[in-house]
Amino acid sequence: MDAPGSLLRRRTRIVYDDGLKRVDGQSSTKTLGSDISGEARGARSLSRRRADLVDMTLFLLSSHAPPAKYVEMGAGVWIHMAQYKRQLMTVFKRIWLVISGAAPPAERWLLLAEDLLKALALLPLARIRFDLDIDEMATASDASESGGG
């Protein structure tokens, strides 16, 4: 039995539709933030954005005590990237200690290195796949019994 929407995806050749414009009959397109590929049946961040993310991450790791504001900006970009692969969110555990100021400056680099090196290693997997079945289970990524996210 076909998953909801899979028959529609096979029968139509719509690559992108944001309600204002539609690109059909094409194998791929670019939006402001994504490469959308009909042939690969997926989307990922633009290559230049991925390169900028790697550059920014290496910049953060090159400082032994990066300012919390820089870390906050970098974390925001990584969280945006995690929209392409939700499991990427699981690597961010210690970066929040640096952002909140709970980490002493001398420990910032080690805390960041653990999270950011894992994120860099998983970056090639940050891709949305449109050909996967729809899972009807609802989840909440910020739910916690003990609080704090």
Side-chain angles (χ1 to χ4, degrees):
M1 173 153 218
D2 285 330
S6 63
L7 184 60
L8 177 66
R9 285 191 297 268
R10 280 199 314 264
R11 289 195 175 162
T12 63
R13 294 181 55 196
I14 298 170
V15 174
Y16 176 71
D17 181 3
D18 69 357
L20 301 174
K21 62 181 177 179
R22 175 176 283 176
V23 178
D24 54 1
Q26 301 292 320
S27 62
S28 65
T29 189
K30 292 185 189 303
T31 65
L32 290 176
S34 297
D35 279 325
I36 301 173
S37 173
E39 291 173 358
R41 296 181 184 222
R44 66 182 319 161
S45 178
L46 296 171
S47 60
R48 75 178 193 295
R49 288 191 183 212
R50 292 191 310 269
D52 288 345
L53 179 61
V54 170
D55 188 47
M56 181 236 12
T57 302
L58 294 176
F59 169 77
L60 286 174
L61 292 175
S62 69
S63 172
H64 289 289
K69 191 62 172 175
Y70 288 0
V71 176
E72 188 176 326
M73 292 185 312
V77 177
W78 270 110
I79 299 308
H80 172 77
M81 184 62 66
Q83 74 180 331
Y84 294 98
K85 183 61 80 178
R86 186 164 181 224
Q87 293 85 344
L88 189 57
M89 286 292 297
T90 64
V91 304
F92 300 109
K93 297 182 182 346
R94 290 159 182 80
I95 199 167
W96 311 120
L97 295 172
V98 176
I99 291 172
S100 69
E107 295 178 16
R108 287 183 188 168
W109 188 87
L110 288 174
L111 295 171
L112 285 177
E114 186 171 342
D115 285 1
L116 294 179
L117 291 174
K118 287 178 189 176
L120 282 173
L122 294 173
L123 182 59
L125 302 176
R127 177 179 171 268
I128 296 172
R129 292 190 47 203
F130 298 133
D131 57 346
L132 296 177
D133 291 334
I134 296 171
D135 188 349
E136 296 184 15
M137 179 184 289
T139 61
S141 62
D142 62 345
S144 171
E145 291 181 21
S146 60

